[in-house]
Amino acid sequence: MDDSRIIKTEYSEVMQKSYIDYAMSVIIARALPDVRDGLKPVQRRTLYDMHELGIRHDRPYRKSARIVGDTMGKYHPHGDSSIYEALVVMTQEFKKGMPLVDGHGNFGNIEGDGAAAMRYTEARLQKVTQEAFLADLDKNVVDFIPNFDETEKEPSVLPAKVPNLLVNGSEGIAVGMATSIPPHNLSEVIDAAKAYMNNPDITTEELMRYVKGPDFPTGGIVINKDELLSIYETGTGKIKIRGKVETEKGKGGKTNLVITQIPYPMIGANIGKFLSDVANLAETKKTQDIVDISNQSSKEGIRIVIELKKDADVHNFVNMLYKKTRLEDTFGVNMLAISGGRPETMGLRQIIKENVDFQFEVARRKYKTLLEKEQERKEVQEGLIKACNVIDLIIEILRGSKDRAMVKACLVDGKTDPVKFKYKESKIMAAQLRFTEKQANAILDMRLYKLIGLELEALIKEHEETMANIYRYEDILERRDSMAMVIMNELDAMKKEYGRPRRTVIENGEEAVYEEKKIEEMEVMCLIDRFGYVKTVDMPTYERNKESADAENKYVFPCKNTGRICVFTNTGQLHTIKVQDLPFGKFRDKGVPLDNVSNYSAEKERIVLAVSQSRLNMHRVIFGTKLSMVKTVDGGEFDVTKRTVAATKLQDGDEVVSVAVWKEQTDIVLRTVGGYFLRFPIEEIPEKKKSAVGVRGMKLGNKDYVENIYYIQNTEEQLIEYKEKTMELNKLKAGKRDSKGTKPRG
């Protein structure tokens, strides 16, 4: 290969440049909307393609697959799913303040069910989209740019007549940045735009007299009214929103809570999550007021009914829903959009300013184009009127000329020599005609019926209208006030036809405060079987079934129903579980797997000890591991509320063999897989922190390890089964910690 063609460069520089190019492409050309029309490229291209295909609001629906395919082939080569998804969202009334596409078929629902495949659904433009976004595209109001393969032209922006970025909001994730703009009320946004036109120095606070706050299509109640000014000034912040709850009388004197509006972030799968969260409140005994819950939502709207007991405190229960479920949620605002070709976070005033400036630019280009057309029309009309007055002369020129070019030369430049005239006076008059090129063409194309008196009157009337239009267009172009009046009239027409009442209530809501009903404290028995299923029963139940309970379960211990239990595992982890979270009931109930109520994983770890947390607080805890590391730890170190903490530190390849609460035990016995036993006093084990490894308990031979650990109390005989023989641990000779131990005879 020729060396002159090899370009040597730093790899990191290439990566950096390539990634920045990619990031900017995603930011500008995919993920973020333009502040002027409030649309992302995929939305803009889809609407323009529908406009080009003639799928108007008053025409039949067309298959979504046709629209998607045409858009992808002409303007947006990024895959059909992204185009169809954009089309679907533009039809959904529960997501958009003002849907731009009229969908026919299954376009999904508020509960998160997806739309049908594009081959089944049909769509067409909404009337508002044609009037507010696609009108005047033929009047040179926006720049057209080449498409991806330079075979078509597409608008760089649509000439939106309303601040769509605010009306419909936008959500998008780019590279290193994201946008999240809530929808607003069309009428309020139009009023704010008009107020800005009347006073360009208007403040955000003054604009908020018109734009009260977001207006979500799902309604709801915004409860942090006082924080909205800061959010709309900076373009960032958090809007707190609650669902709307009403009460109805139920059967038998019961109260039904009916949720008729939900927070905007709840739409989709979060409705199902809300229902399961409410059911979970009943299952975990957080409340005992719920009798039943049902989702009766339909096309008419949201209706979630919670049936409460007769004596339920409704106000307290509603506050609990706000606190414990997504009935109160936050909408993170980050008003990021493309302005002047670059991403920028903007406040309310800047978004309205950019839109109004764009409206003036569109109006300037529109009326400049209209003026040019009227001036051309005026030129032609004046030529035809003048021609009608000297029609006999023109007929004489026509009859005396050999071809069209000769006639034009006479009419435009006064060249009379080649033309044969009947009268000398005609030649003199013809030399003075001086029509323009356009006038001459119009005269030559003129039909004879135009010479009828009524037609001539209509021509003169048309000329008067043209002159009036020219005067009007010049006035609009020369005076900002006149142009502002035209724009305002258009905005008023939009507001009158498409405005609707506000759905979301804006107020300063009180903090949701609810009192948890105090649980009557009592002692219960915790039972964990060898399969890791856990449950609690009351003491009388345990006493009646003591023999079975002790035989069938691996861990049986008392605890308070208001406390926690501690589960130590062979991996050195400690899992703490609220006793309240454990099922409480009948002795023969199976219970639930520990995995369901804690971070414990039956596949990855095994229980070494389960005990009440309150019992640990009063004692020291003994640890012994496979590699014979031992230590004692103050039980108070395990008085934690985190679900999972490290109970001890382990060396590589080590695991916990035994954890025991040190109460009356005097000696510890370590037994290895090789058959060595070592007995020594527990007092020889030093106290360490839970984060320490510990000290060596016994010296291990090659490939030997501790298999089991036993504890001896002086007053009790301690028997174990070892190699099919019964062995009495009390008779083992006591040794010293960190010695090798002995092998028993026989």
Side-chain angles (χ1 to χ4, degrees):
M1 186 185 278
D2 182 6
D3 283 351
S4 63
R5 289 176 62 195
I6 298 172
I7 301 167
K8 291 186 178 180
T9 185
E10 186 67 35
Y11 181 70
S12 62
E13 288 176 14
V14 174
M15 285 300 295
Q16 190 175 352
K17 183 181 181 303
S18 300
Y19 194 75
I20 288 170
D21 289 347
Y22 163 72
M24 286 307 293
S25 166
V26 171
I27 290 164
I28 304 295
R30 280 203 233 180
L32 301 186
D34 192 297
V35 68
R36 295 170 294 176
D37 63 4
L39 298 171
K40 298 178 189 178
V42 64
Q43 295 169 324
R44 186 180 303 120
R45 288 164 173 170
T46 305
L47 295 177
Y48 178 66
D49 186 75
M50 291 174 79
H51 172 69
E52 286 291 282
L53 290 172
I55 314 173
R56 299 168 54 88
H57 77 97
D58 51 0
R59 303 260 178 90
Y61 293 94
R62 296 280 283 277
K63 282 286 183 193
S64 300
R66 169 67 199 275
I67 298 163
V68 170
D70 206 63
T71 305
M72 185 166 60
K74 286 182 180 174
Y75 310 114
H76 196 75
H78 295 294
D80 55 358
S81 59
S82 63
I83 300 169
Y84 186 50
E85 199 174 308
L87 181 72
V88 166
V89 170
M90 286 192 288
T91 68
Q92 294 176 329
E93 291 181 353
F94 52 87
K95 275 193 184 170
K96 294 291 178 189
M98 184 175 69
L100 302 179
V101 175
D102 178 8
H104 181 66
N106 175 13
F107 276 91
N109 61 29
I110 196 168
E111 293 181 33
D113 297 320
M118 66 179 90
R119 62 182 177 273
Y120 300 119
T121 59
E122 298 176 328
R124 64 185 177 191
L125 290 168
Q126 291 274 18
K127 188 181 177 189
V128 65
T129 315
Q130 286 171 212
E131 293 181 2
F133 290 83
L134 297 162
D136 303 329
L137 275 174
D138 57 339
K139 297 182 179 69
N140 189 34
V141 288
V142 292
D143 293 333
F144 276 73
I145 54 175
N147 70 336
F148 62 92
D149 63 358
E150 299 190 0
T151 58
E152 302 273 346
K153 291 275 188 183
E154 61 174 305
S156 58
V157 63
L158 293 185
K161 293 179 181 175
V162 292
N164 180 54
L165 187 67
L166 290 171
V167 175
N168 271 331
S170 186
E171 285 185 17
I173 299 169
V175 177
M177 57 185 70
T179 185
S180 180
I181 304 169
H184 294 79
N185 186 279
L186 175 68
S187 301
E188 292 180 5
V189 171
I190 285 174
D191 288 343
K194 285 166 59 185
Y196 177 83
M197 284 186 218
N198 288 325
N199 175 19
D201 297 323
I202 194 168
T203 64
T204 304
E205 191 172 0
E206 288 168 331
L207 281 172
M208 287 188 69
R209 291 177 192 163
Y210 307 97
V211 179
K212 313 290 185 197
D215 186 24
F216 297 104
T218 52
I221 305 159
V222 169
I223 59 165
N224 58 334
K225 184 179 179 181
D226 287 348
E227 294 174 24
L228 293 182
L229 177 59
S230 166
I231 291 169
Y232 281 112
E233 277 186 334
T234 61
T236 60
K238 286 184 178 178
I239 292 170
K240 290 181 184 172
I241 180 167
R242 288 177 180 167
K244 187 179 178 185
V245 183
E246 297 171 356
T247 56
E248 290 178 359
K249 284 185 179 179
K251 294 175 184 174
K254 292 173 186 169
T255 303
N256 287 351
L257 279 188
V258 183
I259 296 159
T260 54
Q261 294 178 2
I262 58 172
Y264 188 65
M266 199 197 275
I267 57 177
N270 285 326
I271 293 179
K273 174 81 167 60
F274 169 73
L275 294 169
S276 66
D277 284 348
V278 175
N280 197 43
L281 290 173
E283 284 171 17
T284 56
K285 306 288 189 296
K286 290 277 192 310
T287 178
Q288 295 180 349
D289 293 337
I290 300 173
V291 175
D292 189 28
I293 177 168
S294 59
N295 185 4
Q296 300 172 11
S297 304
S298 63
K299 287 180 181 176
E300 277 67 50
I302 290 289
R303 183 178 166 84
I304 297 169
V305 181
I306 303 171
E307 193 178 333
L308 301 180
K309 287 180 179 174
K310 273 186 188 179
D311 57 347
D313 182 343
V314 176
H315 180 71
N316 196 50
F317 182 81
V318 171
N319 279 352
M320 182 179 69
L321 291 182
Y322 288 146
K323 275 283 187 186
K324 297 285 186 183
T325 72
R326 297 190 71 164
L327 194 61
E328 181 181 309
D329 213 337
T330 55
F331 182 95
V333 176
N334 186 26
M335 298 206 280
L336 183 72
I338 303 299
S339 171
R342 50 178 291 179
E344 194 173 336
T345 302
M346 290 171 272
L348 174 67
R349 185 181 177 279
Q350 191 179 349
I351 291 174
I352 287 175
K353 175 192 180 297
E354 296 260 4
N355 188 266
V356 168
D357 289 349
F358 178 59
Q359 297 264 36
F360 273 96
E361 171 66 13
V362 166
R364 185 188 64 76
R365 291 178 65 157
K366 174 184 173 180
Y367 287 105
K368 187 182 174 194
T369 304
L370 289 174
L371 178 63
E372 286 169 358
K373 284 182 179 175
E374 290 296 332
Q375 284 171 335
E376 281 180 22
R377 199 173 283 136
K378 172 198 166 199
E379 185 183 326
V380 169
Q381 288 165 350
E382 286 176 347
L384 290 175
I385 291 167
K386 183 179 170 186
C388 287
N389 292 333
V390 290
I391 193 66
D392 294 336
L393 176 61
I394 288 170
I395 290 169
E396 195 175 331
I397 294 167
L398 287 167
R399 294 185 72 178
S401 300
K402 287 182 180 178
D403 53 29
R404 186 183 178 108
M406 192 183 288
V407 177
K408 270 183 79 174
C410 180
L411 293 175
V412 175
D413 301 319
K415 292 181 179 178
T416 56
D417 291 342
V419 182
K420 292 178 181 176
F421 288 94
K422 221 175 184 183
Y423 309 106
K424 285 182 181 179
E425 294 87 349
S426 299
K427 188 171 185 178
I428 295 164
M429 288 170 66
Q432 297 168 359
L433 286 174
R434 293 292 189 274
F435 286 100
T436 66
E437 186 89 17
K438 284 176 185 169
Q439 287 173 337
N441 284 330
I443 291 164
L444 288 168
D445 294 338
M446 184 176 73
R447 295 183 179 183
L448 286 173
Y449 78 88
K450 287 282 183 187
L451 300 172
I452 299 167
L454 288 173
E455 284 294 324
L456 189 59
E457 280 179 34
L459 182 64
I460 292 166
K461 192 176 178 184
E462 200 178 295
H463 180 251
E464 287 170 0
E465 286 173 7
T466 300
M467 292 306 293
N469 284 341
I470 289 171
Y471 175 76
R472 180 166 162 261
Y473 296 157
E474 283 177 343
D475 179 59
I476 290 169
L477 287 166
E478 287 168 12
R479 293 177 57 237
R480 182 185 165 89
D481 288 352
S482 298
M483 190 179 282
M485 188 56 66
V486 169
I487 295 169
M488 283 186 195
N489 289 340
E490 284 188 343
L491 287 173
D492 283 336
M494 289 282 164
K495 179 181 170 182
K496 186 177 179 182
E497 186 161 359
Y498 303 110
R500 56 163 179 74
R502 164 173 277 281
R503 295 172 188 171
T504 301
V505 175
I506 309 287
E507 65 181 31
N508 281 314
E510 292 179 12
E511 180 73 22
V513 177
Y514 85 100
E515 292 178 17
E516 288 196 46
K517 287 185 179 175
K518 296 269 179 165
I519 297 167
E520 190 182 332
E521 188 174 273
M522 66 177 194
E523 196 162 50
V524 295
M525 213 68 179
C526 183
L527 311 174
I528 305 176
D529 67 16
R530 61 194 178 90
F531 300 109
Y533 278 77
V534 61
K535 66 187 173 199
T536 59
V537 294
D538 59 29
M539 284 304 190
T541 302
Y542 170 70
E543 292 299 338
R544 286 197 304 273
N545 301 277
K546 187 175 187 307
E547 202 173 308
S548 298
D550 293 347
E552 293 169 10
N553 293 286
K554 194 171 180 184
Y555 298 98
V556 180
F557 56 89
C559 54
K560 288 276 194 296
N561 63 342
T562 53
R564 295 170 183 267
I565 67 167
C566 292
V567 175
F568 294 88
T569 71
N570 64 320
T571 59
Q573 298 295 308
L574 164 65
H575 303 291
T576 65
I577 308 154
K578 283 183 180 178
V579 178
Q580 248 180 281
D581 293 343
L582 303 178
F584 174 78
K586 296 172 184 174
F587 178 70
R588 285 295 161 203
D589 287 350
K590 192 176 182 184
V592 296
L594 270 169
D595 308 50
N596 291 10
V597 288
S598 69
N599 293 334
Y600 170 77
S601 169
E603 290 180 8
K604 297 176 184 174
E605 51 191 337
R606 127 183 95 73
I607 303 169
V608 177
L609 174 70
V611 67
S612 145
Q613 192 178 55
S614 58
R615 189 176 173 216
L616 290 178
N617 290 341
M618 300 179 282
H619 302 280
R620 276 156 72 186
V621 181
I622 309 163
F623 284 83
T625 76
K626 184 177 176 180
L627 298 181
S628 97
M629 303 307 291
V630 293
K631 68 175 179 180
T632 65
V633 179
D634 185 339
E637 287 204 40
F638 305 112
D639 188 7
V640 292
T641 54
K642 277 183 81 174
R643 282 169 66 95
T644 303
V645 295
T648 186
K649 190 176 182 183
L650 293 171
Q651 297 169 306
D652 288 346
D654 202 0
E655 65 176 271
V656 176
V657 174
S658 168
V659 179
V661 178
W662 186 13
K663 204 170 179 186
E664 295 171 358
Q665 307 96 312
T666 54
D667 290 19
I668 185 171
V669 179
L670 307 182
R671 175 174 71 75
T672 73
V673 74
Y676 282 89
F677 284 77
L678 176 62
R679 171 185 173 183
F680 61 89
I682 293 173
E683 286 175 348
E684 289 187 18
I685 302 174
E687 186 176 337
K688 300 275 186 182
K689 292 287 182 188
K690 73 175 192 287
S691 57
V693 175
V695 296
R696 193 162 63 176
M698 73 184 290
K699 287 178 181 169
L700 299 172
N702 188 29
K703 294 187 180 177
D704 203 5
Y705 60 85
V706 175
E707 187 178 36
N708 222 326
I709 296 175
Y710 313 101
Y711 300 93
I712 300 173
Q713 286 178 214
N714 277 340
T715 54
E716 287 183 16
E717 187 179 54
Q718 182 76 13
L719 302 174
I720 64 162
E721 288 291 321
Y722 179 64
K723 290 191 176 178
E724 297 179 357
K725 290 181 182 178
T726 302
M727 183 175 174
E728 194 177 334
L729 292 179
N730 302 61
K731 290 184 178 177
L732 273 174
K733 187 181 175 184
K736 290 206 166 189
R737 183 183 67 77
D738 203 19
S739 58
K740 192 173 181 185
T742 58
K743 268 192 176 185
R745 292 176 186 173

